[in-house]
Amino acid sequence: MIHSDNQILLESVNEEVWRRRREEAYKRFLEDIEIGYVDADIKDLIFTVFTKKNIYTTSSCSGRISIVDSVYPWQRDEAYVIFKKHQPLLLSELLDVVNQKTLHRLWLIVSGPIIHFNALNLSSANKLLNIVRAAGFKHSGILSIGSGGIVVEVVSGIWVPFLLKDGDTIVVNDFKRIVDIANEMLKEGKQKLEKLFKFLKNVDI
Amino acid sequence: MIHSDNQILLESVNEEVWRRRREEAYKRFLEDIEIGYVDADIKDLIFTVFTKKNIYTTSSCSGRISIVDSVYPWQRDEAYVIFKKHQPLLLSELLDVVNQKTLHRLWLIVSGPIIHFNALNLSSANKLLNIVRAAGFKHSGILSIGSGGIVVEVVSGIWVPFLLKDGDTIVVNDFKRIVDIANEMLKEGKQKLEKLFKFLKNVDI
């Protein structure tokens, strides 16, 4: 990387490597559909992205509800994921987990959609960021710039943990209400994804 | 912006504009200290950043606890911020707010540190991202690249809402416990900030 008087010169994205990785990602996506790994709510959006010239997706989630045993809800490595679902949660499913022994704290976590894109060049990355922000995904940004491409993380800002138990002490007094609010938030996320799909459909990128 | 065979050419950061804005930001920072606007826990870190050549800060927060009346905790415009504090919360402060009428839902929100940097060039932005990620601020990224500079958002991943009331119905059965956990999380955030300060102190950027 060189910084001249008038221009910033970036290490170039290697287009050949980028095209090959895009093909690999597409093959993996088709395989994942066959196995049943792909989240049904996001399948059409990803198919649409694979018709674009300068971007592809590497990973994605349409939004989900999980139940996690950890001291803090932001932990990954030290957390036990006990339950995970991309569709609305049932009260009975929640109570099944609540009735088990809790090691640290029990958190119900609602996450909105999240998609990682890889763009061939900075102008496509910028264009993508403008589109997703207009669609309401305001927390999106560039994670890295390298020869393999420009990685753009698209996130909705919907991420809400509910503390259910602290050790074995229940801290919530109405589980039905928590389930209803969590499902309402999950739905908000899926609607944001629908809006993003509409914005991406007809754009030349 | 031009995309040639081997290199991506970026619209250049205008160094003169960048230096002038940096001076303005520094003046504003000194004024804010006099008025008492600047968050004491982050003052030294910002002073340190203003000794660096290629980065400066535009806004920052050392972490805080707020109490908000809104349907969803991620809302900004439709939310009423009832209480805000950068230091540990007292139970009596929480109960004062809980005993008032709630319009939508009452959320106690713990936010970790957040800092916006402006970098003069991409190599400094990349260097900064590597440093902050090593210090544990893994959710950081580039928000925009323009002639005014490269905006880097540094965030800790600590952001935890607690639902206290749904309308006028209390959903929590032990306010003292929530206060203790929230204060513990606030402290986690301040410790992360200390670590970031140490990482930034001796780096040439």
Side-chain angles (χ1 to χ4, degrees), chain B residues 148-203:
Chain B
I150 295 145
V151 178
V152 177
E153 183 179 65
V154 173
V155 280
S156 64
I158 298 180
W159 185 85
V160 181
F162 292 87
L163 179 61
L164 304 174
K165 287 169 76 184
D166 185 16
D168 275 325
T169 308
I170 290 171
V171 302
V172 157
N173 53 27
D174 183 352
F175 286 114
K176 175 72 172 67
R177 189 186 296 262
I178 300 297
V179 168
D180 289 345
I181 296 176
N183 286 338
E184 190 191 295
M185 289 172 167
L186 184 73
K187 204 175 149 192
E188 282 283 321
K190 306 272 180 181
Q191 284 167 349
K192 278 197 165 205
L193 194 66
E194 277 300 309
K195 193 171 171 187
L196 180 65
F197 186 25
K198 277 187 195 130
F199 272 61
L200 280 171
K201 242 180 204 165
N202 301 312
V203 78

Side-chain angles (χ1 to χ4, degrees), chain A residues 15 18 31 49 126 129 141 166:
Chain A
E15 188 159 342
W18 191 89
E31 283 164 12
V49 172
N126 272 334
L129 276 174
D166 185 14

Side-chain angles (χ1 to χ4, degrees), chain A:
Chain A
M1 200 178 291
I2 306 145
H3 179 225
S4 76
D5 284 328
N6 284 340
Q7 282 161 328
I8 299 165
L9 274 65
L10 259 194
E11 186 194 358
S12 155
V13 175
N14 184 321
E15 188 159 342
E16 204 184 308
V17 173
W18 191 89
R19 298 250 164 249
R20 195 172 63 235
R21 290 206 186 148
R22 180 200 158 105
E23 278 315 302
E24 286 163 8
Y26 188 58
K27 253 173 74 182
R28 217 164 37 240
F29 170 59
L30 294 181
E31 283 164 12
D32 284 351
I33 289 178
E34 253 180 62
I35 304 166
Y37 270 0
V38 174
D39 191 350
D41 291 329
I42 208 164
K43 209 172 73 178
D44 292 347
L45 185 147
I46 296 182
F47 262 123
T48 298
V49 172
F50 272 114
T51 66
K52 309 292 179 188
K53 287 188 306 289
N54 299 324
I55 56 169
Y56 69 90
T57 62
T58 50
S59 68
S60 63
C61 174
S62 70
R64 68 183 183 205
I65 292 178
S66 48
I67 305 178
V68 171
D69 189 334
S70 63
V71 178
Y72 302 117
W74 62 77
Q75 289 171 316
R76 296 276 172 97
D77 300 341
E78 308 93 330
Y80 300 89
V81 179
I82 299 169
F83 183 91
K84 201 157 70 174
K85 199 184 179 185
H86 292 85
Q87 297 300 320
L89 178 69
L90 304 175
L91 178 59
S92 59
E93 291 169 329
L94 177 72
L95 294 179
D96 276 354
V97 179
V98 166
N99 289 329
Q100 293 167 32
K101 215 175 152 41
T102 296
L103 200 58
H104 304 292
R105 288 173 183 146
L106 200 65
W107 304 90
L108 183 159
I109 303 176
V110 187
S111 319
I114 175 162
I115 310 173
H116 281 192
F117 289 85
N118 195 335
L120 178 60
N121 49 48
L122 268 171
S123 56
S124 303
N126 272 334
K127 196 169 180 181
L128 178 64
L129 276 174
N130 288 334
I131 294 163
V132 302
R133 285 190 186 134
F137 288 71
K138 305 236 159 123
H139 295 257
S140 308
I142 295 172
L143 291 188
S144 71
I145 302 174
S147 60
I150 294 143
V151 177
V152 178
E153 182 178 65
V154 173
V155 277
S156 64
I158 299 180
W159 184 85
V160 180
F162 292 87
L163 179 61
L164 304 174
K165 287 170 76 183
D166 185 14
D168 276 324
T169 309
I170 289 171
V171 302
V172 155
N173 55 26
D174 183 352
F175 286 113
K176 175 72 171 69
R177 189 185 297 262
I178 301 297
V179 169
D180 289 345
I181 295 175
N183 285 337
E184 190 192 293
M185 289 171 166
L186 184 72
K187 202 175 149 191
E188 281 282 322
K190 305 274 179 179
Q191 283 167 350
K192 279 199 163 202
L193 193 66
E194 277 298 308
K195 192 170 171 188
L196 180 65
F197 187 26
K198 277 189 195 127
F199 272 62
L200 280 172
K201 241 181 206 164
N202 302 312
V203 78
D204 182 30
I205 187 170

Side-chain angles (χ1 to χ4, degrees), chain B residues 32 63 81 85-86 100 106 113-114 137 149 163 173-174 178 186:
Chain B
D32 285 351
V81 180
K85 200 182 180 187
H86 291 85
Q100 294 167 31
L106 200 65
I114 175 163
F137 288 72
L163 179 61
N173 53 27
D174 183 352
I178 300 297
L186 184 73

